[in-house]
Amino acid sequence: MAPEAATPDARTPAAVTPDALTTTPAAAFAAFADLHRAGASPFLIPNAWDHASASALAAQGFPAIGTTSLGVAAAVGLPDGAGATRAETLLLARRLGPGPYLLSVDAESGFSDDPDEVAGLARELADAGAVGINLEDGRHDGTLAPVALHAAKVAAVKAAVPDLFVNARTDTYWLGGGRAGEETAHRLHAYEQAGADGVFVPGLADPAVIAALVKRLATPLNILYTPSGPTVPQLGDLGVRRVSLGSLLFRTALGAATEAAADIRAGRPVAGRGPTYAQVQALSGPAHAVRRPPGNGVAATDTAAGGIDAGR
């Protein structure tokens, strides 16, 4: 049987209702936006890299699941952040879109510097069932994209799919050097003006800086969780409305797998306990594929029998 769903504590946002997942795309889009406002604590969005990881997280009671671009790229032997995984990202969205959760897709920088092409990708992701998208201004060469260019991408996506939640990410704290604080507010303001629904600053962990930034923003702030940084409740106290796990779960799973293999080779007992074969099998059952992608304003039921790719 599938792992038991965890019971959310009093500080977590209310669970997504079945209607939000099975009635109309508008309900799903609205439910995802509401997660950024509901509850006393920010909503924690874990990041999956395949169907099994997404389904297992949903079984633990997470109402929304993100994807991790590192996990998507590493799974096929491609570099992350290099604009090389557009096809793989879209394929994963089509596989996860019917799931019993709200899906947000990490689309790197949109896989193009042409805003119209980025908008086209956004349409395809929405048709696959995604209700949110992350767009980052960091580039593979270690530079930041021009503010005006990234703002144009945000504006193009919002024009193409107005209800899609655009989480505009700036990599100033990873790539901005000594100008991180000054540059961050400038970029986020531009992205908000372009129509971003939320903003994301990975690498920022200083509580005082986070609190000051929240006061300057008109949209919800998303922070990347780090084990050495503030806890989720502490981030909520600072005004953060969304916390992402990024590639942490993927890297943790990869580390656990390699450590288990090394322990077995050395004759040591394997630490920890993973799900059983039957539990993993159950993650691919009908209960985990109840919704077709809401493209073109149509939502209908589906089962795992043919899979999301059947008939496409």
Side-chain angles (χ1 to χ4, degrees):
M1 60 185 291
E4 293 185 4
T7 302
D9 65 38
R11 293 178 62 90
T12 59
V16 175
T17 65
D19 284 348
L21 293 172
T22 60
T23 53
T24 66
F29 286 126
F32 187 67
D34 286 346
L35 287 174
H36 295 75
R37 296 185 287 268
S41 183
F43 96 89
L44 177 65
I45 182 166
N47 300 77
W49 55 95
D50 60 12
H51 183 277
S53 57
S55 296
L57 290 166
Q60 287 298 310
F62 290 99
I65 306 295
T67 64
T68 163
S69 63
L70 176 64
V72 173
V76 293
L78 293 171
D80 182 31
T85 56
R86 185 189 192 281
E88 289 78 10
T89 297
L90 185 55
L91 177 60
L92 181 60
R94 287 173 174 158
R95 286 175 172 163
L96 303 189
Y101 43 79
L102 300 168
L103 176 66
S104 182
V105 176
D106 180 352
E108 296 188 9
S109 61
F111 306 107
S112 175
D113 275 343
D114 182 340
D116 289 339
E117 291 184 1
V118 177
L121 171 67
R123 289 190 195 94
E124 291 185 88
L125 291 173
D127 284 345
V131 295
I133 184 174
N134 274 24
L135 285 177
E136 64 195 55
D137 60 13
R139 289 176 155 171
H140 189 55
D141 63 2
T143 64
L144 293 166
V147 177
L149 173 60
H150 199 64
K153 293 182 184 182
V154 172
V157 170
K158 292 302 294 183
V161 195
D163 290 335
L164 188 69
F165 192 102
V166 176
N167 199 33
R169 168 179 144 180
T170 184
D171 287 351
T172 47
Y173 275 82
W174 281 343
L175 305 176
R179 299 185 306 129
E182 170 192 344
E183 184 75 6
T184 299
H186 169 63
R187 285 177 173 267
L188 296 187
H189 178 69
Y191 304 158
E192 287 181 330
Q193 291 297 303
D197 301 286
V199 290
F200 184 19
V201 189
L204 174 57
D206 184 290
V209 177
I210 292 172
L213 183 59
V214 166
K215 294 178 181 179
R216 301 180 65 175
L217 295 174
T219 59
L221 176 63
N222 182 186
I223 291 294
L224 181 69
Y225 171 81
T226 59
S228 60
T231 64
V232 172
Q234 288 170 339
L235 288 170
D237 292 340
L238 295 172
V240 174
R241 298 309 309 145
R242 171 173 166 177
V243 179
S244 299
L245 296 185
S247 64
L248 177 61
L249 300 182
F250 172 74
R251 291 183 285 111
T252 300
L254 188 60
T258 54
E259 287 177 10
D263 285 341
I264 293 169
R265 180 176 60 189
R268 296 187 295 266
V270 176
R273 185 174 65 88
T276 66
Y277 181 91
Q279 287 173 327
V280 175
Q281 280 283 72
L283 295 176
S284 297
H288 293 273
V290 298
R291 187 170 58 95
R292 295 289 291 180
N296 302 318
V298 178
T301 58
D302 187 21
T303 69
I308 184 58
D309 293 5
R312 284 179 173 264

